[in-house]
Amino acid sequence: MRIKAAVTKEKDAPYELVDMEIQEPQGDEILVRIQAVGVCHTDEAGRRGALPLAFPVVLGHEGAGIVEKVGPGVTEFQPGDPVCLTYASCGSCGPCMEGRPYACEHMNELNFFGVYPDGKHRLSWKGEAVSSFFSQSSFAEYALVSERSAVRIDSELDFAVAAPLGCGIQTGAGIVLNSLKPGFGASLAVGGCGTVGLSAVMAARLCGCSRIIAVGGNESSLQLARELGATDTINRKKTEDLTASVRGLTENGVDFAIDTSGNEGMIRSLLNSLTYTGTIAIAGGGFQLCMGSFDLGARTIKGVSEGDSNPKGFIPKLLEAYRQGKFPVDRLIRRYPFEDINKASADSREGKCIKAVLQMGQGQGSLYLEESLCETGDFSGIAGGKVPPAP
């Protein structure tokens, strides 16, 4: 089947819309006609060659659309079903069998190595195999994914709202709701006010945290954080001692902290801002942290993969909270036509939008965030084929 896709021909190359071939769905695969897809900083890491992907590659891993065809082994979906796409997992390892696909023992190769679970490709261009991303490659009119990677959504839901829940938003919300699970009245600090950080802020408000401190680098994103539930904000660029600023807002430090930047200075400051028994979750990829003489005390440092989320159950819960007006994810979104993928990527990279979403057609709504800014993730520590945890 011939489709249009945004190919990245080589490291650091711009996206180029070309016609290529996609195979028919096999086994448990579904063919999805993409209606919207989020642009994530992990896509940028792939484009820059910071992940072990062979070029050419079709990136994109936050797709949403309509099931067009199903493979012979599919049991959960049928043509016409609206779905949101998410990360790939094997379904047969210990963690997957226990309902923890985010801890899949094959997470890295299924999502970052450019091939499908059978080790083969599904896309080809000019007779050449094209690498995939997250076993999905949704920067295209159509995407092939395992039914494990799809979540059914309501037909009336705006695809542009659903798409980014597949990775960035479920990561930020999941860190709070699935991993840290702060109790009512707890205090929490979030480092970084991009998609992941602001999703964590909204989730912390859902949990009933009494103090939610957002740390960012520009006033626009900090203002949005306040509107989304932050009780306090700190501009890191205007603060000489970030730890003192955070601790100054609490009695003995914060109970929980989340870093979404991958910046060692931010991580160290947040660690020092914790109570003696506090916990920090680190979501940023590609960081290096030298503990030195740091007194860890009884604190906990926690890594998180995809928000420790089982998407089949977690994404519908987030969408229900959105419908109830309790999780206003639409406030993060700026929409772009698919043809403007390079502008969307640049705006995301340069901090001109929180969450860029590409649309293949007209969405069901017109929710825009006209003048938002965000901080980009730092993947500078990823090199030599070292694969980060799924963001």
Side-chain angles (χ1 to χ4, degrees):
M1 178 179 173
R2 201 159 182 82
I3 66 168
K4 190 174 293 296
V7 67
T8 303
K9 294 181 178 179
E10 57 189 10
K11 177 181 176 181
D12 290 323
Y15 295 104
E16 183 176 338
L17 296 184
V18 302
D19 292 327
M20 62 175 59
E21 297 292 328
I22 190 170
Q23 295 181 7
E24 293 294 309
Q26 306 172 25
D28 71 344
E29 292 173 349
I30 59 175
L31 178 69
V32 178
R33 178 160 48 91
I34 299 297
Q35 299 295 295
V37 54
V39 178
C40 177
H41 295 305
T42 313
D43 295 311
E44 177 63 11
R47 191 188 69 84
R48 284 170 30 206
L51 299 173
L53 291 167
F55 293 94
V57 60
V58 173
L59 299 166
H61 63 288
E62 293 182 342
I66 301 169
V67 176
E68 190 88 354
K69 297 180 181 180
V70 300
V74 172
T75 60
E76 187 177 349
F77 300 101
Q78 59 185 4
D81 286 342
V83 293
C84 168
L85 306 183
T86 187
Y87 64 90
S89 58
C90 75
S92 58
C93 68
C96 283
M97 295 293 286
E98 295 167 357
R100 298 185 294 126
Y102 56 85
C104 176
E105 294 173 357
H106 304 284
M107 175 68 73
N108 287 339
E109 55 261 44
L110 291 178
N111 292 280
F112 299 113
F113 283 9
V115 293
Y116 277 72
D118 60 3
K120 299 179 180 179
H121 298 84
R122 300 291 187 268
L123 296 169
S124 61
W125 177 47
K126 297 181 178 179
E128 178 182 5
V130 176
S131 292
S132 57
F133 198 47
F134 278 65
S135 297
Q136 179 183 143
S137 291
S138 51
F139 284 167
E141 292 177 325
Y142 290 84
L144 267 177
V145 299
S146 164
E147 64 177 339
R148 287 183 53 78
S149 298
V151 179
R152 184 181 283 103
I153 60 177
D154 290 343
S155 58
E156 72 274 13
L157 185 67
D158 188 342
F159 287 108
V161 171
L165 270 70
C167 184
I169 290 170
Q170 90 170 330
T171 293
I175 290 171
V176 177
L177 299 171
N178 300 324
S179 182
L180 296 180
K181 298 180 180 178
F184 184 81
S187 57
L188 181 145
V190 180
C193 291
T195 301
V196 177
L198 290 178
S199 298
V201 166
M202 291 188 288
R205 183 178 64 173
L206 278 175
C207 284
C209 290
S210 62
R211 177 138 272 159
I212 305 168
I213 304 168
V215 181
N218 63 73
E219 291 301 331
S220 180
S221 60
L222 291 172
Q223 173 59 37
L224 181 58
R226 288 189 286 270
E227 295 172 9
L228 294 176
T231 59
D232 306 274
T233 57
I234 298 173
N235 190 323
R236 60 175 176 77
K237 295 180 180 179
K238 299 179 180 180
T239 303
E240 292 185 6
D241 189 334
L242 180 55
T243 296
S245 296
V246 174
R247 294 187 71 90
L249 294 169
T250 64
E251 184 175 352
N252 296 305
V254 290
D255 300 309
F256 301 94
I258 300 169
D259 176 70
T260 69
S261 71
N263 179 273
E264 180 180 348
M266 175 75 82
I267 295 170
R268 187 175 294 278
S269 294
L270 291 174
L271 265 169
N272 281 305
S273 73
L274 290 171
T275 64
Y276 192 72
T277 58
T279 299
I280 182 171
I282 299 176
F287 69 89
Q288 292 182 339
L289 179 62
C290 299
M291 295 300 296
S293 60
F294 180 79
D295 180 12
L296 186 60
R299 299 179 177 95
T300 299
I301 302 174
K302 194 170 190 179
V304 183
S305 173
E306 290 287 353
D308 290 356
S309 163
N310 187 330
K312 298 280 190 181
F314 189 56
I315 288 178
K317 290 179 180 178
L318 293 181
L319 290 174
E320 180 59 29
Y322 165 71
R323 279 189 288 266
Q324 294 177 7
K326 298 177 181 179
F327 192 75
V329 62
D330 54 284
R331 297 290 308 280
L332 309 183
I333 293 170
R334 178 179 287 177
R335 302 163 189 255
Y336 298 78
F338 183 40
E339 293 75 14
D340 288 346
I341 184 172
N342 284 301
K343 175 174 172 52
S345 177
D347 285 355
S348 180
R349 183 169 61 248
E350 296 166 10
K352 294 181 179 179
C353 67
I354 297 288
K355 171 55 70 174
V357 175
L358 304 171
Q359 289 187 289
M360 278 56 175
Q362 292 297 318
Q364 297 177 5
S366 56
L367 306 173
Y368 290 84
L369 182 61
E370 293 295 348
E371 298 297 337
S372 63
L373 294 172
C374 69
E375 295 172 303
T376 60
D378 179 11
F379 288 89
S380 58
I382 306 173
K386 180 181 177 182
V387 183

